[in-house]
Amino acid sequence: MSSTQQNRQETGAEPATDFGAVIVGAGFSGLYMLHSLRDYLGLSARVLETGDGVGGTWYWNRYPGARSDSPSYIYCYSFSEDLRQEWDWTEKYPEQREMRGYLQHVAEQFDLNRDIRFSTQVVDASYDEDTKRWTIRTDSGEEMTAQFFIAAVGALSSANLPDIAGRDTFAGERYHTGQWPHEGVDFSGKRVGVIGTGATAIQAIPLIAREAEHLTVFQRTANYAIPARNGPVDPEVQQQRKADYDGIWDRIRQSYFGFELWFEDHGALEDPPEERERKYQAHWDEGGFALWLGNYMDIFFTREANDTVSEYMRRKIQERVDDPETAEKLTPRDHPFGTKRVPLETNYYEAFNRDNVTLVDVKSDPIQEITPTGLRTGDGGEYEFDVLVFATGFDAMTGPLNNINIRGRGGRLLRDRGRGGRLLRDKWAEGPATYLGLTSADFPNMFTITGPQSPSVLSNMPVSIEQHVEFVSRIISDMRERGAEVIEAAQQAEDEWVAHTQEVAHSTLLPQTATWYMGANIPGKPRVFMPYLGGVGNYRQHCDQVAANDYEGFVFSS
Ligand code: NA7
């Protein structure tokens, strides 16, 4: 029985269908958004969630080895001092079960479940200019209305199952890592194929290799992965952090990427080679993102600086792989280090030293088709398996939003004789267009939490999520004070923001690499750099300045 049905039975009342806000998604963003609007602002709010429990990313991604690549002490909420003090993390990089447990605990602690409708997918959301309200329709045909429509849908929640010929003919077990069965998968004694070598596959491969009879990995692009150096959290360190949480959060909120990591104050080529090597080695030994996000800043800007760290990484990979041919295949030579999302790994490269693991390079010999028994490559390679795992990522950032029929100004649900306004995905046909990654012109009273053109996936997500949730709450609270019912991005402000995000991105090396940041992993998706690269601290200050300047770039109406 759903919580709503239960409520109805207990109270005998018809369920509410009109809300202050409807929020889509019960992950990190949706949970805090609900708490903020309901418990701080007293707004009636309803969360609609596809899964049958809270957790978002940590609900869906249950593949072996799934864990956070951000350290636990900052991959969490900061908003509640009680929560910060009472929760103890067991590992530096918490695994999926612990992350989900944390979010379940938060939902219980703040009594959130009663306002979440689970197993409910939002199909349409449409703004009505006459009533100044959104109408939201779910997959069961139910409708509700709200003043605010808030998409807390996550940036990496729309699974990408590539349209490979014969895909659906495979007769064995088939899984996508982002839609993993809740009961788990037993690989023992089985021949397994994994397509993909992104951050997900790099976490899963060493564990699948240990269990499977044989594992074949199909790699299109070799990645530069850094050792995670995961381990238990030292209770003393945990206590020290608890005593300094305000300090830690002040620092990460003003940092570039939302971590306690800082760039060197000079360029890579200004240090002699031995000093550079010493620094790279120190970061390597420390593990985690330091080598990527706490290094010389110019590795993001010039090939010469970047070559020094790319070359260092290539050496490190080659040292760990026994077979020279396999080592060469695993060594990225087609893109600069750090221009794709850098995965963290534990025994990833060593997995390829096992007798039961084979690496197939599908860039030089592309997958031609999936067959009932396995897979065939262009050069005639035939591979058979019992289980096929798609670790093929997501239609990132815009995918989860474009999956909903979101209609803005002039919008009605389709059933109203097609008087619908423009669909968000049509507006975004050439790439996302937002003001601050938070709103889009012609879509009044709609907010996207960590949407495209905000720091989002180029940051430690909870830091960016909290900033967005708090900014949205502040906007709504200020609207009440000024008696405004509607807020919307001005077209000019949006145009300028889009141009700014592109200018910042294109001053770096990142857009030169085919990545999901660029939409390059999805055939036909526009190639536009989506996350904002201007830095978490700078972005926060900019948003605060916008609010201080009487919400410059926004238009209010009553
Ligand atoms: P990613 O990083 O998008 O990785 C997907 C992998 O799948 C990557 O190696 C792709 O190769 C590969 N891929 C995708 N489509 C195909 C086809 N058609 N054929 C062969 N190989 C393919 O997704 P992840 O789930 O690993 O990580 C996503 C984020 O989640 C991660 O960055 C964290 O932020 C959490 P490619 O590199 O495109 O050549």
Side-chain angles (χ1 to χ4, degrees), residues 156 160 162 164 177 195-201 220-221 340-341 362 367 391-394 516 521:
L156 296 162
N160 168 39
I164 300 170
T177 50
I195 302 179
T197 52
T200 295
R220 191 165 64 181
T221 308
K340 278 173 102 94
R341 158 68 151 77
V362 293
I367 299 172
T392 44
F394 302 90
W516 57 258
N521 62 329

Side-chain angles (χ1 to χ4, degrees), residues 22 24 48 121-128 133-138 142-146 148-151 401 403-409 411-414 420-425 443 445-446:
V22 163
V24 189
L48 303 175
Q121 196 171 359
V122 173
V123 178
D124 297 307
S126 186
Y127 183 73
D128 182 334
R133 298 190 89 72
W134 283 86
T135 300
I136 292 95
R137 194 154 62 95
T138 73
E142 193 182 355
E143 284 187 7
M144 50 198 86
T145 50
F148 297 101
F149 174 63
I150 303 178
L401 293 162
N403 282 344
I404 304 172
N405 299 314
I406 302 175
R407 290 177 185 275
R409 185 169 289 290
R412 293 279 196 283
L413 292 184
L414 285 171
R422 186 155 60 137
L423 281 164
L424 186 69
R425 66 169 162 270
F443 291 80
N445 284 359
M446 170 179 140

Side-chain angles (χ1 to χ4, degrees), residues 16 83 137 163 218 270 304 342 402 506 535:
L83 180 62
R137 194 154 62 95
D163 189 14
F218 298 90
E270 289 172 56
E304 296 72 22
V342 175
N402 288 344
H506 285 272

Side-chain angles (χ1 to χ4, degrees), residues 207-451:
L207 299 181
I208 299 176
R210 272 204 247 153
E211 211 184 312
E213 181 191 301
H214 193 89
L215 169 63
T216 310
V217 176
F218 298 90
Q219 170 189 275
R220 191 165 64 181
T221 308
N223 243 317
Y224 301 91
I226 300 175
R229 308 210 191 281
N230 189 27
V233 178
D234 178 341
E236 224 171 274
V237 172
Q238 184 133 259
Q239 281 320 310
Q240 285 162 9
R241 285 176 177 149
K242 285 187 179 190
D244 183 32
Y245 257 140
D246 285 336
I248 290 169
W249 280 83
D250 280 349
R251 290 193 288 279
I252 63 176
R253 284 185 191 123
Q254 299 308 328
S255 69
Y256 212 89
F257 295 109
F259 296 91
E260 285 198 284
L261 295 172
W262 326 105
F263 289 125
E264 294 286 338
D265 61 5
H266 56 280
L269 303 177
E270 289 172 56
D271 273 340
E274 324 71 73
E275 176 58 10
R276 262 199 319 265
E277 179 82 8
R278 193 193 62 73
K279 284 181 177 150
Y280 292 161
Q281 186 64 39
H283 290 322
W284 176 269
D285 293 341
E286 180 189 341
F289 286 144
L291 189 58
W292 183 32
L293 306 177
N295 203 332
Y296 301 105
M297 194 178 193
D298 55 351
I299 64 168
F300 291 107
F301 291 94
T302 72
R303 274 310 280 259
E304 296 72 22
N306 187 287
D307 283 347
T308 64
V309 65
S310 292
E311 203 39 57
Y312 174 87
M313 286 294 296
R314 292 184 194 117
R315 255 192 291 134
K316 287 294 183 192
I317 294 167
Q318 300 234 334
E319 281 167 14
R320 294 170 62 185
V321 183
D322 298 341
D323 171 46
E325 206 181 307
T326 307
E328 186 50 34
K329 278 189 207 163
L330 286 166
T331 304
R333 300 201 184 272
D334 58 357
H335 67 280
F337 169 75
T339 55
K340 278 173 102 94
R341 158 68 151 77
V342 175
L344 298 189
E345 58 83 25
T346 304
N347 300 326
Y348 174 65
Y349 294 106
E350 286 74 14
F352 294 92
N353 295 335
R354 298 174 63 102
D355 291 340
N356 70 332
V357 178
T358 309
L359 179 66
V360 178
D361 172 8
V362 293
K363 183 155 268 167
S364 61
D365 180 15
I367 299 172
Q368 192 175 44
E369 64 171 335
I370 291 173
T371 66
T373 53
L375 181 161
R376 189 174 297 134
T377 61
D379 286 351
E382 299 259 4
Y383 303 89
E384 294 201 340
F385 14 80
D386 308 300
V387 185
L388 179 54
V389 176
F390 284 85
T392 44
F394 302 90
D395 182 355
M397 307 206 74
T398 50
L401 293 162
N402 288 344
N403 282 344
I404 304 172
N405 299 314
I406 302 175
R407 290 177 185 275
R409 185 169 289 290
R412 293 279 196 283
L413 292 184
L414 285 171
R415 65 173 171 77
D416 279 0
R417 295 173 295 281
R419 287 203 295 147
R422 186 155 60 137
L423 281 164
L424 186 69
R425 66 169 162 270
D426 289 344
K427 175 177 173 181
W428 287 7
E430 304 299 320
T434 75
Y435 182 42
L436 303 174
L438 191 69
T439 55
S440 196
D442 279 335
F443 291 80
N445 284 359
M446 170 179 140
F447 299 103
T448 52
I449 306 302
T450 64

